């Protein structure tokens, strides 16, 4: 999965492409000035077979040992024959941008450019465009295909569905009607020149299925739409602040009215939707502060008054209906952050007031309305970066860091989508120092990378089942004084082992059957790559070049199915000018055997042989077919992860604590002191929904059956919001019971009962008087009969009629 962090006017959104096909991946390498600080260039060295990098080892924390195996001469020769080095002579670009195009095409586009003012580009500066069709073994300069036009460094390359590519030229705004783009439908083999009627403010956005549908925002805040892959454009709307594709061809955007300024700061934006590519529009909500779309949820924050806090609204039906999320409100000094989301639920971070650098993490129900507290004191750094990580190699696993009350950062992991968090276990080959009270593994995240403590974040891939690679330290808390080491887990984060000393760049190949790593060097040059075929238990080292160079980055094709990796960097030439260098190593000839059935094993996830864990997580047991650690073979590009599922009995682990509840030390869901009574009334889709809860709510997407079942009541009252149910409505049937728990509700109940009592008393009195009157009349008639008086039928009829008509309150009172 490809993730990107987006900040939308106070809402920090982590967006992913899960559920949508990944079109490619773009990485940027920057040339540093490391070589200049050395004073002079080191003499070029001949290739040797030693694994030393020529630099001193930094001091590390708790020691551990890991397996190192020598590279045989035969293996060395195979790798030599399949290692390809390319030097980009005469290229003076300070940045290199790599983009993979298509799925399994082998096409890589490389843009070398300069980050500087536009007016300097036309005085000797230039950009170069290179293309490879063999996964980076050989590159060709194709700058002439785009007329040697200077391409932007910020968002110069955009890759879409299929083999579509868009290059954005960096052109001056003054005296130009619009910008210039180059489009390609054949992975960069050919390009088409297009003059835009506007200047781009941000990258062109593809529709996630149809590359012909493009949306762009211009520097004058106009939203533009193209239905023919950029050939023609039409103006869609003015004053647009931000936009996002939804499901299908739904397009959402926020905009300001013509007579407003700084609408995004005051919450004066309006949120609109078009379901027909700009033919008609619908206003979804006013007073918008920010909005976004993730998974199946449209969300937006509303600030009805500049002095009022913001509240969050969610919609799971493309904006047709929306509901206010039961979350704490946020002031202008606070922010919301969508950490992760899919069709079932959303992870939400709510910032604490003040500069605390932490907040509270919540998880939603499948409607995005009821949010339960998942983790308190969740770390969110000063740069609005979260360490929250989705471990994609195993379902339901998430990793993050929290800032405890002693101001120490500690790592926690959840195996059931945030229902429960726990410390990470100590690596099996690492022992803590004697004075350490709590010995755990702590993982470096975005906070550490932003402070240049580690070069990479935790890495996992869906095709490499259970495999996690991360930088960390072992002890009571995450330590910045210890140099981070690399740790590996093969079971999704339950158990760990130290595998590499010091910080490294790493990548997963062969669907987990191959891991490669290059040691991070702050001042020295690199020439060695390490690789493991048993998930980091043992490593071999290979010197891939005779001429070490300054390291810039490690690059491999997205999806982990590739067998080659490229090491990028730059090397000073004889004239003192740096030259970009890439070395691509193809491991396919080294790992030549195709895997067969004997190379795989059945693995029950979330389980141990001792029976401490039975494999039941989120209501199911999942048995995967995965590669044995001792098998050295190729999974192949057609490899697909296969698994078998069986349902589990429900336990408390399958439930979250409902809104207003939290887990105590005994893992029971108990009411928060600030929460109200058990009855919760919310307004959903125009109907008031009154819920009765015992504090538990099943984790979204949990599939357990039977077993533990909280006494969770069905909705007790459902009626239009603000309208009382009419007599005979379903709300008054005997199958539904209304509960009165608050003092106000009890007072109303008392008054109603008292009024009903008075009515019953009056009714009983009336009945008694009526009976007495009838008895008296009968006695009179009996006496008349006994005296020989025959009643007049007409008079009797009239008399009876008159008597019925006169049977009124006045008569009873008299």
């Amino acid at each position: 999965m490809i993730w990107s962090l987006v900040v939308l006017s106070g809402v920090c959104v982590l967006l992913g492409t899960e559920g949508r096909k990944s079109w490619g991946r773009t990485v940027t390498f920057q040339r540093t000035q490391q070589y200049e600080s050395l004073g002079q260039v080191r003499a070029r060295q001949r290739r040797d077979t030693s694994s030393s990098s020529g630099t001193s080892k930094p001091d590390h924390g708790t020691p551990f040992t890991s397996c190192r195996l020598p590279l045989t001469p035969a293996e060395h020769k195979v790798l030599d024959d399949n290692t390809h080095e390319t030097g980009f002579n005469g290229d003076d670009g300070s940045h290199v941008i790599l983009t993979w195009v298509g799925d399994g095409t082998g096409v890589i586009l490389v843009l070398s450019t300069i980050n500087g003012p536009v007016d300097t580009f036309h005085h000797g500066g230039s950009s170069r465009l290179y293309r490879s069709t063999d996964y980076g073994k050989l590159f060709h300069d194709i700058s002439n295909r785009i007329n040697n036009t200077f391409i932007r460094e910020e968002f110069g390359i955009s890759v879409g569905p299929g083999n579509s590519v868009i290059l954005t030229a960096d052109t001056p705004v003054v005296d130009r009607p619009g910008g210039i783009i180059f489009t390609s439908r054949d992975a960069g083999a050919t390009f088409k020149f297009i003059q835009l009627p506007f200047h781009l403010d941000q990258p062109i956005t593809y529709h996630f299925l149809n590359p012909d549908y493009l949306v762009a925002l211009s520097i004058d805040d106009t939203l533009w739409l193209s239905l023919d892959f950029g050939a023609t454009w039409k103006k869609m709307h003015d004053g647009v602040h931000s936009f996002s594709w939804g499901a299908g061809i739904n397009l959402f955007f926020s905009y300001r009215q013509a007579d407003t300024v700084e609408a995004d700061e005051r919450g004066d934006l309006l949120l609109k939707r078009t379901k027909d590519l700009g033919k008609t529009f619908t206003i979804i909500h006013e007073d918008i502060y920010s909005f976004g779309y993730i998974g199946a949820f449209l969300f937006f924050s509303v600030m009805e008054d500049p002095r009022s806090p913001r509240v969050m609204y969610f919609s799971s039906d493309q904006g047709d209906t929306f509901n206010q999320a039961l979350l704490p409100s946020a002031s202008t000094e606070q922010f919301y952050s969508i950490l992760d989301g899919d069709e079932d639920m959303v992870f939400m971070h709510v910032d604490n007031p003040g500069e605390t650098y932490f907040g509270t993490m919540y998880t939603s129900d499948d409607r995005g309305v009821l949010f339960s507290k998942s983790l308190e004191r969740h770390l969110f750094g000063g740069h609005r970066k979260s360490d929250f990580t989705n471990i994609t190699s195993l379902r339901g696993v998430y990793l993050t860091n929290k800032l405890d009350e002693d101001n120490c950062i500690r790592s926690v992991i959840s195996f059931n989508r945030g229902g429960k968090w726990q410390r990470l276990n100590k690596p099996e080959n690492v022992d803590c120092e004697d004075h350490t009270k709590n010995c755990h593994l702590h993982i470096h995240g975005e906070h550490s990378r932003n402070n240049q403590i580690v070069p990479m974040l935790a890495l996992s891939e869906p095709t490499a089942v259970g495999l996690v690679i991360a930088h960390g330290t072992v002890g009571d808390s995450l330590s910045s004084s210890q140099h981070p080491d690399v740790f590996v887990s093969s079971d999704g984060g339950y158990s760990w082992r130290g595998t590499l000393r010091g910080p490294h760049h790493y990548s997963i190949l062969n669907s987990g059957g191959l891991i490669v790593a290059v040691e991070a060097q702050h001042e020295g040059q690199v020439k060695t790559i390490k690789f493991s075929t048993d998930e980091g238990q043992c490593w071999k080292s290979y010197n891939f070049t005779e001429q070490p160079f300054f390291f810039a980055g490690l690059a491999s094709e997205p999806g982990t199915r590739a067998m080659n990796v490229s090491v990028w960097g730059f090397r000073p030439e004889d004239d003192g000018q740096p030259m970009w260098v890439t070395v691509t190593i193809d491991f396919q000839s080294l790992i030549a055997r195709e895997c067969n059935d004997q190379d795989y094993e059945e693995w029950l996830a979330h389980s141990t042989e001792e029976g401490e864990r039975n494999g039941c997580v989120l209501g199911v047991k999942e048995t995967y077919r995965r590669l044995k650690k001792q098998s050295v073979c190729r999974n192949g590009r057609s490899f697909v992860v296969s698994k078998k599922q069986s349902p589990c009995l429900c336990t408390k682990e399958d439930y979250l604590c409902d809104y207003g509840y939290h887990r105590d030390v005994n893992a029971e869901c108990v009411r928060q002191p600030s929460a109200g009574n058990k009855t919760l009334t919310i307004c959903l889709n125009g109907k008031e929904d009154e819920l009765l809860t015992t504090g538990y709510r099943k984790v979204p997407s949990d599939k357990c059956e039977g077993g533990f079942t909280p006494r969770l009541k069905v909705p007790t009252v459902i009626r239009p919001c603000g309208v009382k149910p009419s007599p005979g409505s379903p709300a008054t049937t005997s199958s539904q019971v209304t509960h009165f728990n608050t003092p106000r509700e009890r007072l109303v109940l008392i008054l109603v009962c008292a009024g009903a009592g008075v009515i019953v008393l009056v009714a009983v009195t009336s009945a008694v008087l009526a009976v007495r009157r009838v008895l008296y009349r009968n006695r009179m008639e009996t006496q008349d009969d006994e005296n020989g008086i025959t009643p007049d039928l007409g008079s009797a009829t009239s008399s009876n009629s008159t008597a019925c008509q006169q049977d009124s309150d006045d008569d009873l009172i008299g």
Side-chain angles (χ1 to χ4, degrees), residues 612-631:
E612 297 176 1
R613 300 187 304 272
N614 63 1
C616 285
V617 170
L618 296 173
V620 294
K621 290 183 178 182
E622 293 181 319
T623 302
Y624 290 88
R625 181 176 179 266
R626 69 173 188 175
L627 193 67
K628 297 177 182 177
K629 289 185 177 64
Q630 63 269 25
S631 295

Side-chain angles (χ1 to χ4, degrees), residues 67 86 165 242 269 288 399 462 476 480 701 735 767:
C67 172
T86 301
V165 182
S242 60
L269 297 171
I288 297 296
L399 177 70
D476 177 66
S480 59
S701 75
S735 62

